[in-house]
Amino acid sequence: MEAYMRHRYRFLGINRPERDELIKSLIRSWKGNAEQLIAEVDALWMLEEREFRYAAVDLLIRHHKILETSHIDSIEAWILTDSWWDTVDSIAASVLSPMALRNREAFERFYLWKDSNELWLRRCSILYMLKHGSWIDERTLFEILDAQLQESDFFIRKALGWMLRTYARTAPGRVEYYVSSRPLSPLTRREALKHIKKL
């Protein structure tokens, strides 16, 4: 597991199915308010082995509905602590995305991350509408994507393609138009159009 993550982090060595089984009942039965959730996620985030971060993310995903905009600073801190795709993408897709859908202030806050100096916040800005389906705000989405067109980082280019591929499920013609009208990297273009002919 450490080798797969390029030896960036220490692991206990518990694989995903076993980990899910170990914490499933704890995650489901957890009861508390938002401040308690923040405190418990903070405590898990401070532990060295990566599985504790995964448990923290699972707890957030299960109970994200109690989070408010006042908790975004804490979420941002977790995103920026030992950042890598394994925690960041789960937070973006399954915490930020539903949060932004129900809360306009959160939506606008995540939008502003497109101009951040922090790569992982920019990636979250690209991905925070992943689960909005037909509710995706196309104008906002394209503004966010346009802000990253000159970015050379792999994780940003991959996220651009991932978000376009997701939006293609709702509006394949609009994605084809976007891809044809922007100077996208080959990686982004390939990811964006990956399944579009099958729609």
Side-chain angles (χ1 to χ4, degrees):
M1 294 170 76
E2 290 177 3
Y4 178 69
M5 295 298 291
R6 303 183 185 179
H7 298 282
R8 296 176 65 93
Y9 311 109
R10 288 188 60 186
F11 281 81
L12 295 169
I14 305 172
N15 62 32
R16 178 66 183 267
E18 184 182 0
R19 189 182 81 242
D20 288 349
E21 190 60 33
L22 285 168
I23 68 173
K24 178 170 59 178
S25 62
L26 294 173
I27 297 294
R28 289 180 176 174
S29 64
W30 184 89
K31 287 181 174 33
N33 59 35
E35 300 310 318
Q36 290 169 322
L37 179 62
I38 297 297
E40 294 195 24
V41 171
D42 266 338
L44 287 167
W45 222 269
M46 291 174 63
L47 300 173
E48 185 175 5
E49 290 82 6
R50 201 67 173 171
E51 287 91 343
F52 292 114
R53 301 281 174 88
Y54 299 155
V57 171
D58 288 345
L59 186 62
L60 279 174
I61 291 171
R62 179 74 180 183
H63 300 286
H64 68 81
K65 290 181 181 179
I66 66 175
L67 296 172
E68 302 293 342
T69 53
S70 60
H71 305 116
I72 292 177
D73 286 344
S74 292
I75 298 171
E76 182 174 328
W78 300 324
I79 290 169
L80 295 177
T81 302
D82 297 331
S83 311
W84 202 243
W85 62 267
D86 59 333
T87 54
V88 171
D89 290 0
S90 295
I91 291 173
S94 299
V95 179
L96 303 184
S97 193
M99 193 174 181
L101 196 56
R102 69 175 184 267
N103 188 312
R104 188 67 193 182
E105 186 179 345
F107 183 98
E108 293 171 355
R109 177 84 175 267
F110 304 149
Y111 166 81
L112 294 176
W113 286 354
K114 70 182 175 57
D115 300 316
S116 172
N117 291 327
E118 298 288 348
L119 179 147
W120 295 103
L121 291 183
R122 296 200 304 277
R123 183 170 167 100
C124 284
S125 185
I126 294 166
L127 298 177
Y128 81 90
M129 285 188 274
L130 261 177
K131 297 191 176 179
H132 289 200
S134 61
W135 293 96
I136 284 178
D137 181 334
E138 182 183 285
R139 179 178 176 181
T140 300
L141 173 63
F142 286 176
E143 286 177 1
I144 291 168
L145 302 186
D146 283 347
Q148 309 302 323
L149 291 181
Q150 303 305 314
E151 178 63 67
S152 61
D153 183 85
F154 168 84
F155 288 106
I156 296 297
R157 290 183 171 186
K158 185 82 169 180
L160 292 171
W162 182 12
M163 192 62 226
L164 286 166
R165 188 172 74 243
T166 299
Y167 188 42
R169 296 179 190 141
T170 299
R174 296 296 296 159
V175 169
E176 286 186 300
Y177 164 76
Y178 185 89
V179 170
S180 68
S181 62
R182 264 67 166 188
L184 301 177
S185 71
L187 170 62
T188 299
R189 186 181 303 274
R190 184 169 60 253
E191 289 293 319
L193 301 176
K194 199 169 189 177
H195 305 301
I196 205 163
K197 301 306 180 185
K198 300 177 183 178
L199 295 172

